[in-house]
Structures are given as C-alpha cells and as structure tokens.
Amino acid sequence: MPVEVTPEPEGLKLEFEANRQPALFWPAPQLHPHAYRKADLTVLRFGQEPVLALEVVSPTFAEHIRQAYPAAVFHRNALPAAKPNRSALYLLLLLLIGGLLACYFFVLPALADWAVRQLPPEAEVKLGQQLYAQTVDPNDVDTARTKEVNRFLQELRVVTQYPLQVTVVNQETVNAFALPGGQLVVYTGLLNRLESPEELAALLGHEFAHSQHRHTLRALARSLSTYLLVSLLFNDISGLAALLLENADQLDSLQYSRSLEEEADEQGFLLLKANRLAPQGMQRLFQRLQEAVPAGAEPPALLSTHPLTADRLAHLQELMKRHPYQPAPAPALQQIWARLDTATQ
C-alpha cells in the first residue's frame, strides 16, 4: 500500500493515503538490523510476525535516514538488494533439460517396449499384413523363388507363435528384413549371393528371430515412441497401423539395438544347431554381406544397421564354443536349395 514517510527525531512516521488506516510509527532503534539498498531503492523491515516491509525509491532517502539516526544499526549493516539466484536458475534449467532427455532416451523407449509386449499376437499379425501390403509391390515378387524359400523354411524346425511367410522381392538391394507378425522379406540381390543352404538357413533364422521376439515392432516403437506409445497404450490398432504405414519406408533400413542384433544372431545359430546344419553357414553369410560393400561405399542396410562384421564373427565363435554339435546332411534342404540355385542362375 502506498504511504507517506516522514522521518521524525525518534523514527519514521508512515501515513496511508486518504487515512485508510491509522498511521504507523517505527522507532529507528527497532528497525530490523539489515537494510537493503540497490541504486535508489531502500528496503526497511519492522516488527515481528507478520513482518512489515517499506520500499522507498529515492536518490536521497538512504543518506537522509543515515544522518537522522546515526546510532541506529540498520543503516550501518545495510546490504545490497537481493539479486536473483541465477546459478540456481541455471541448475534448475539443466535439471529440466536433463530430465527431458532422460525421458526421451530411456523412459519413452522402456514404455514403448512395455506397450509392444501388451499387443496381442493376432493384432500384430494383422498389422504385419497391412505393412506388407504397403511395402511390397506384388509386381516385384519372384513367385517361383518365394515358393521354394517357403518350402525351405517349412523344412526347418521353427517354433513360432506367428504364421511365417517369406517373400522374395526381385530387386538388386542386398538386404532382408522382418515385418511384425511373421512376414519376412528377402531381396534377390542378397539371395543371389548365397552359395549354400546353411547360409540361407542362417539368414532366415536371423530375420525370423527379429519377428518372433518383436524386435521390428520394438525398434519402430522406439523410433516413433512419442506417437506410437499413445496408440499402443490405448490399444488403438487402427491408429497404430496408420502411424506405422506412414513410416513403412523405414522398415528395410530399421536400426536395431546391439543387444537385439546379438539375440537375432544367436537365435539364427540355434536354428542351425536344431537342424544340424554347419554353423559356418552363418559365418559365410556375414562374409557375403561384407563382400557386397564396394571400397569407400556405404554398407548395405543389413550391415549398416547391424554390429560390425568382426564383432558378429567373434560372437559366433563364442556361440560355437558354448553350443557344440556335429553337423549332419540335410537331403530335403539340399534338394530345395538345388532348385533355388538353378532358379538363381
């Protein structure tokens, strides 16, 4: 409230405008010990709870009361006016930014992973079918080799909760990828480079693991976690499908985490073991992919989004030591491979 301040011999008289309430008198010796001053601003405090504060903006007031009450403590202990605590503000800002980054990089991906695990398998199958229609042009499908590769997959002892389906796409891209719900896509650019049934089994096992363990959906969820999470949490399958369809072009270059890739490699190796196929097939698969990289060129997506080949080979050697087995002939797979190899030539 605005007041008129009159310095009197024993202290300050404070009168309110229009006599809105009785005048106050603050004896100078009873003013709080520390006045606050900044430029023309002087702040004085008086009394117990509730403490009253007087703010005076005047170029002469501080000097006037110093001369009027030379024995008073308040003007001898005057402090600069309090400044904003910028360091605390900066710390708060850094904590806020750090919290947002932690939420984006850790909390949201973890929640997206959890939400993916809540999605029923039948909903994932339906979603995979929609994504398949979006990403695969029927005119590019190599029907003959698609039929043979699916026969090959049926001969492998694969345990899955999804109806597995492989599609061979007639493109020179050296790549393969998995869609949610058991849909696997292999490009002829990669299939043409394989030279043994063990290599094809390793490839199918790796991509099957991505689908079986929901790696594809989890990677997409992490990439699109902010928007995708809402759809998954509310079980909005139509909204989820719409969002993923808009981003279907990411599927063939999807980046998985290192742990997901190692899990897929391990599942591919275990599939070779279950069928008693030589584990060197996986080793040669990695080498074929590496050979597809011209000097100085970008690696194919299947390599660029995966761990380095040397690391994968080392992981394979570790798996072979942990899970030793004796390979055996697989006549049925050899026959199917022979038909595939003939078609490739």
Side-chain angles (χ1 to χ4, degrees):
M1 293 183 293
V3 295
E4 182 178 315
V5 181
T6 304
E8 296 189 344
E10 301 298 326
L12 300 176
K13 181 180 180 180
L14 281 62
E15 297 177 286
F16 296 88
E17 289 184 349
N19 296 319
R20 294 169 59 183
Q21 65 181 59
L24 301 176
F25 184 76
W26 291 2
Q30 296 179 26
L31 291 173
H32 285 204
H34 296 289
Y36 291 89
R37 296 176 186 167
K38 179 179 180 182
D40 292 343
L41 172 66
T42 300
V43 180
L44 303 174
R45 300 184 187 279
F46 180 82
Q48 303 304 317
E49 296 296 333
V51 176
L52 302 179
L54 171 67
E55 297 183 359
V56 180
V57 179
S58 166
T60 60
F61 180 74
E63 179 62 21
H64 185 85
I65 60 175
R66 187 185 69 81
Q67 294 179 6
Y69 316 113
V73 176
F74 70 87
H75 67 78
R76 288 186 281 130
N77 292 339
L79 301 174
K83 297 180 180 179
N85 192 341
R86 296 187 181 277
S87 60
L89 182 62
Y90 293 149
L91 178 60
L92 181 62
L93 184 61
L94 285 174
L95 288 174
L96 178 61
I97 294 173
L100 290 174
L101 290 175
C103 181
Y104 183 80
F105 287 107
F106 299 104
V107 178
L108 273 181
L111 286 175
D113 274 355
W114 172 84
V116 165
R117 290 193 291 271
Q118 312 313 307
L119 193 67
E122 56 272 17
E124 191 176 355
V125 170
K126 182 178 179 181
L127 176 60
Q129 292 169 345
Q130 291 178 293
L131 288 168
Y132 175 85
Q134 181 77 11
T135 55
V136 177
D137 185 345
N139 296 322
D140 292 336
V141 175
D142 188 325
T143 306
R145 281 193 279 185
T146 292
K147 185 176 181 180
E148 294 298 339
V149 172
N150 277 288
R151 284 177 177 170
F152 189 97
L153 182 60
Q154 290 170 8
E155 287 293 331
L156 298 172
R157 288 191 285 273
V158 177
V159 179
T160 177
Q161 59 182 332
Y162 303 113
L164 292 179
Q165 172 67 35
V166 186
T167 300
V168 178
V169 176
N170 191 16
Q171 289 185 17
E172 291 304 310
T173 305
V174 181
N175 200 14
F177 64 93
L179 291 165
Q183 297 277 352
L184 312 180
V185 176
V186 180
Y187 291 115
T188 55
L190 174 57
L191 186 59
N192 291 345
R193 290 178 175 271
L194 305 184
E195 297 184 3
S196 69
E198 291 82 3
E199 294 172 46
L200 178 58
L203 173 65
L204 294 178
H206 179 93
E207 296 303 334
F208 150 74
H210 280 319
S211 180
Q212 174 67 18
H213 296 284
R214 296 182 164 181
H215 293 173
T216 301
L217 200 54
R218 289 167 65 186
L220 279 171
R222 289 182 174 220
S223 177
L224 307 169
S225 57
T226 304
Y227 306 103
L228 188 59
L229 184 62
V230 176
S231 297
L232 288 170
L233 286 175
F234 290 96
N235 202 24
D236 179 12
I237 304 305
S238 59
L240 170 61
L243 179 62
L244 292 181
L245 288 172
E246 290 176 6
N247 294 272
D249 58 338
Q250 297 184 24
L251 288 167
D252 62 353
S253 59
L254 194 60
Q255 294 197 13
Y256 300 103
S257 70
R258 193 176 193 85
S259 61
L260 296 187
E261 283 299 346
E262 288 185 352
E263 183 179 14
D265 282 347
E266 183 164 349
Q267 292 301 314
F269 169 83
L270 293 177
L271 183 62
L272 291 177
K273 179 182 178 181
N275 290 272
R276 301 185 67 186
L277 297 172
Q280 287 74 19
M282 180 168 280
Q283 179 179 1
R284 288 193 292 269
L285 171 65
F286 296 159
Q287 292 169 341
R288 305 274 182 245
L289 291 168
Q290 190 64 51
E291 291 166 0
V293 186
E298 289 292 324
L302 193 60
L303 275 183
S304 64
T305 58
H306 291 52
L308 296 175
T309 303
D311 293 338
R312 299 178 79 182
L313 290 173
H315 184 220
L316 176 60
Q317 292 299 319
E318 180 186 344
L319 290 172
M320 292 169 66
K321 290 179 181 178
R322 281 168 32 200
H323 305 281
Y325 66 94
Q326 183 63 41
L333 292 177
Q334 288 287 355
Q335 292 176 6
I336 299 172
W337 174 256
R339 293 196 295 268
L340 266 173
D341 194 37
T342 302
T344 300
Q345 295 174 357

